[in-house]
């Protein structure tokens, strides 16, 4: 395990649940931006094309994780709307994987950046109210595989 891997694992293991969602958004945004940059190149190298597909795949994995963690019972309408957004983004991701469309990827980034900002604001508010602490044992156990996703 590299020093960077240990840092990421520690970050994930000590993060509160909302911060974990924010970290997922960060990685999806970074992956999509990389893919868009490569799509915009006139003549990408085979290595760059491979990086583009890996970045799009990573974004898809993250969207699946975000969608899979929704709690429709507790989240109600918000969870349902997030599910619709994740489903729509996943559909778009499949489309841009088949045919380069950097403009669509940039719009996807904007959607994720807006969602990330809302989660960051929620995290700040919950901390101010004392309703959000760092991860406990149960959260660490549930998030043990998250470092691999990030």
């Amino acid at each position: 395990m590299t020093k960077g891997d240990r840092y990421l694992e520690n970050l994930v293991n000590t993060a509160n649940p909302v911060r974990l969602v924010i970290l997922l958004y960060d990685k999806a945004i970074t992956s999509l931006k990389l893919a868009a940059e490569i799509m915009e190149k006139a003549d990408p190298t085979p290595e760059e094309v491979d990086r583009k597909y890996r970045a799009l795949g990573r974004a898809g994995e993250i969207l699946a994780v975000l969608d899979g963690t929704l709690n429709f019972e507790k989240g109600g309408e918000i969870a349902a709307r997030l599910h619709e957004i994740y489903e729509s983004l996943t559909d778009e991701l499949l489309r841009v994987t088949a045919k380069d469309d950097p403009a669509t990827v940039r719009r996807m980034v904007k959607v994720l950046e807006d969602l990330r900002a809302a989660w960051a604001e929620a995290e700040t508010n919950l901390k101010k109210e004392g309703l959000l602490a760092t991860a406990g044992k149960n959260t660490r156990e549930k998030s043990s595989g998250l470092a691999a996703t990030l």
Side-chain angles (χ1 to χ4, degrees), residues 2-115:
T2 68
K3 191 175 189 177
D5 291 339
R6 283 191 300 273
Y7 171 78
L8 183 58
E9 184 175 1
N10 185 52
L11 181 66
V12 169
N13 286 336
T14 59
N16 64 62
V18 176
R19 175 57 40 183
L20 292 174
V21 171
I22 293 168
L23 290 171
L24 286 169
Y25 280 121
D26 287 342
K27 185 61 179 182
I29 290 165
T30 301
S31 296
L32 289 173
K33 284 181 176 180
L34 172 64
E37 287 171 14
I38 294 169
M39 286 178 187
E40 290 166 344
K41 289 189 173 197
D43 192 24
T45 67
E47 293 82 15
E48 289 172 322
V49 172
D50 184 55
R51 284 178 47 217
K52 174 190 75 174
Y53 286 121
R54 281 186 282 136
L56 292 171
R58 177 60 49 99
E61 291 170 3
I62 292 168
L63 288 171
V65 168
L66 288 166
D67 192 46
T69 60
L70 293 173
N71 183 328
F72 293 96
E73 230 175 82
K74 289 183 181 178
E77 187 177 331
I78 292 172
R81 290 191 187 265
L82 284 171
H83 171 70
E84 289 173 10
I85 292 168
Y86 298 150
E87 194 171 65
S88 175
L89 289 171
T90 299
D91 290 345
E92 288 295 326
L93 191 60
L94 291 171
R95 192 177 66 72
V96 300
T97 299
K99 184 176 190 303
D100 285 354
D101 184 354
T104 296
V105 175
R106 298 262 182 223
R107 284 192 298 274
M108 293 169 67
V109 167
K110 176 70 172 115
V111 169
L112 291 174
E113 286 174 338
D114 290 347
L115 288 170

